[in-house]
Amino acid sequence: MKITKLSTYRVAPRWMFLKMETDAGISGWGEPVLEGHARSVEAAVHELGSALRGHDPRRINDIWQMLYRTGFYRGGGVLMSAIAGIDQALWDIKGKALGVPVYQLLGGLARDKVKTYSWVGGDRPADIIRDIEARLAQGFDTFKMNACEEMAIIDSSRAIDKAVAKVAEIRSAFGNEIEFGLDFHGRVSAPMAGALIRELEPYRPLFIEEPVLAEQAEYYPRLAAKTSIPLAAGERMYSRFEFKRVLQAGGIAILQPDLSHAGGITECHKIAAMAEAWDVALAPHCPLGPIALASCLHVDFISWNAFIQEQSMGIHYNQGSDVLDYVLNKEDFQLDGGHIRPFVRPGLGVELDEERIVEQAKSAPDWRNPLWRHADGSVAEW
Ligand SMILES: [Mg+2]
């Protein structure tokens, strides 16, 4: 079997799908995208992909190493997202060629179902109580929300009070019936993170995500030493080699590699195994589309330390199209009490509506990360 063609489709809301065709009539799909940088990843997919024509797509390990190592320069969100999408398509093809779901190729199920959580509250946390009530009715009992809005490098006690009041309101409305993670989203500086975490501790969030930016990862062990709240990070780390340093330094209790940013299934199931060796849990990052979600789930199905999966159905970013709008086998993504069961179809298990993808790609929006500014006009982390 040989790879014959790669086609990319940028689509609403802010995603990109990759179709990989072969001379055997089997095609596979991947989702190589970095939100806000889809065009750069698209260029990288075609630059890297031009070397793939004529290669056997079943030699996934060899192709991965070829893409990663022979470029000399490596790593980073754009290149690793391109590799991730190509890698997903290779696994899809291999599963389809052998007639089995990808998790079977990875050694088989380590669990019967995967718990998922749901986003509430949008970019700026508001209307959270109403959102949680709606999601509870859908069967979710675990949520994630942004912990705060803009936070200056040294901010006021009012800013901390505002963030804490929101969380207190949630606990007083729902008690311990629900769990919620708080995403600091890299908005909080190292000087403010310690104070905010201390004030949030009585409300026992399930985890705090990106308490500081990944480039300030040396603060993770220091912050962890001061709190019993598990700290999570990983959506802005792109390979084993980056996760190695974070695991070695300690402090992170939950790793959140993104299956569309960190080299795909091939890389992330290795990252999961590394995390297990450090007694660190896995919760793959996924505010993306159906192929990215399916890829995450295959790694969750086979990884003992996977404890929850992010998914973006109904998330505030999904303007114009939602996760299942591109999926024909919607029934396989049905949530049962917030859980997803293993797919039974071969490959990644996603039957895509190719007509819709082609049509949507004709008018794909150029989604950009919003520009936020502090009160004094300086750029704020979003
Ligand atoms: Mg996050």
Side-chain angles (χ1 to χ4, degrees):
M1 193 191 304
K2 288 184 170 50
I3 297 168
T4 53
K5 192 178 176 189
L6 299 182
S7 312
T8 47
Y9 303 93
R10 284 181 294 101
V11 294
R14 52 180 189 164
W15 305 336
M16 183 164 64
F17 299 142
L18 163 68
K19 183 182 185 186
M20 181 182 287
E21 294 174 66
T22 67
D23 62 358
I26 297 172
S27 32
W29 289 82
E31 194 171 328
V33 72
L34 193 63
E35 308 92 284
H37 306 277
R39 285 177 187 271
S40 304
V41 176
E42 185 169 39
V45 165
H46 292 292
E47 188 175 61
L48 291 166
S50 63
L52 295 184
R53 242 158 261 125
H55 281 266
D56 183 343
R58 295 166 297 188
R59 292 191 59 170
I60 301 173
N61 287 317
D62 184 53
I63 290 175
W64 196 97
Q65 297 292 350
M66 193 173 86
L67 295 175
Y68 182 76
R69 294 185 190 276
T70 62
F72 187 74
Y73 299 102
R74 61 196 63 178
V78 171
L79 289 176
M80 296 307 286
S81 296
I83 292 176
I86 292 170
D87 181 80
Q88 293 164 2
L90 293 170
W91 282 102
D92 196 26
I93 289 170
K94 185 154 186 157
K96 286 172 178 168
L98 296 171
V100 292
V102 166
Y103 60 76
Q104 294 291 15
L105 301 176
L106 295 167
L109 298 172
R111 56 178 39 79
D112 300 326
K113 55 185 180 178
V114 173
K115 186 178 175 92
T116 68
Y117 66 83
S118 178
W119 262 93
V120 287
D123 256 355
R124 295 179 185 276
D127 298 327
I128 284 179
I129 302 291
R130 195 195 58 198
D131 271 14
I132 291 176
E133 279 167 353
R135 295 294 186 158
L136 272 170
Q138 294 169 5
F140 291 101
D141 68 0
T142 305
F143 308 94
K144 188 165 84 183
M145 66 202 78
N146 283 305
C148 59
E149 302 184 29
E150 298 90 334
M151 186 72 78
I153 188 161
I154 300 293
D155 213 315
S156 62
S157 63
R158 279 191 317 282
I160 290 181
D161 284 348
K162 188 175 172 192
V164 173
K166 190 71 69 184
V167 173
E169 192 189 343
I170 293 164
R171 269 288 177 242
S172 99
F174 301 101
N176 286 340
E177 274 176 51
I178 64 161
E179 300 288 344
F180 54 85
L182 294 173
D183 194 350
F184 282 17
H185 218 254
R187 290 174 189 171
V188 185
S189 63
M192 296 305 291
L196 189 52
I197 291 170
R198 189 184 60 222
E199 300 281 339
L200 290 169
E201 181 135 343
Y203 304 100
R204 289 195 261 164
L206 186 62
F207 56 85
I208 286 176
E209 177 169 321
E210 286 198 317
V212 291
L213 285 165
E215 52 261 50
Q216 314 290 2
E218 60 273 21
Y219 283 95
Y220 293 149
R222 295 193 223 173
L223 292 168
K226 290 194 263 181
T227 183
S228 58
I229 304 172
L231 302 183
E235 69 191 73
R236 288 187 257 194
M237 301 173 196
Y238 309 108
S239 71
R240 272 166 288 166
F241 311 105
E242 277 180 77
F243 282 99
K244 170 184 71 175
R245 296 198 176 95
V246 174
L247 290 168
Q248 179 74 43
I252 293 296
I254 302 164
L255 282 197
Q256 301 172 306
D258 186 307
L259 270 284
S260 279
H261 301 340
I265 292 167
T266 301
E267 187 70 351
C268 288
H269 91 271
K270 293 172 183 170
I271 293 166
M274 286 167 61
E276 184 184 345
W278 292 92
D279 217 7
V280 165
L282 181 79
H285 178 251
C286 190
L288 298 173
I291 307 169
L293 177 57
S295 301
C296 290
L297 288 164
H298 285 282
V299 172
D300 295 328
F301 291 142
I302 63 123
S303 300
W304 175 83
N305 52 336
F307 87 107
I308 203 159
Q309 178 58 53
E310 179 172 28
Q311 55 78 33
S312 81
M313 295 178 217
I315 199 173
H316 48 288
Y317 301 121
N318 291 352
Q319 306 294 324
S321 271
D322 209 335
V323 177
L324 297 186
D325 291 350
Y326 296 104
V327 175
L328 296 174
N329 57 322
K330 294 179 174 53
E331 67 282 1
D332 290 340
F333 285 81
Q334 282 311 305
L335 293 163
D336 174 12
H339 291 76
I340 294 187
R341 294 196 178 273
F343 301 127
V344 290
R345 288 166 200 256
L348 291 174
V350 189
E351 296 290 328
L352 289 156
D353 184 344
E354 196 168 342
E355 257 178 58
R356 182 185 164 94
I357 292 170
V358 171
E359 193 54 38
Q360 288 268 315
K362 291 175 186 164
S363 57
D366 258 325
W367 187 85
R368 288 284 185 273
N369 305 72
L371 169 59
W372 282 9
R373 290 186 185 276
H374 294 297
D376 68 358
S378 60
V379 171
E381 290 284 350
W382 163 70

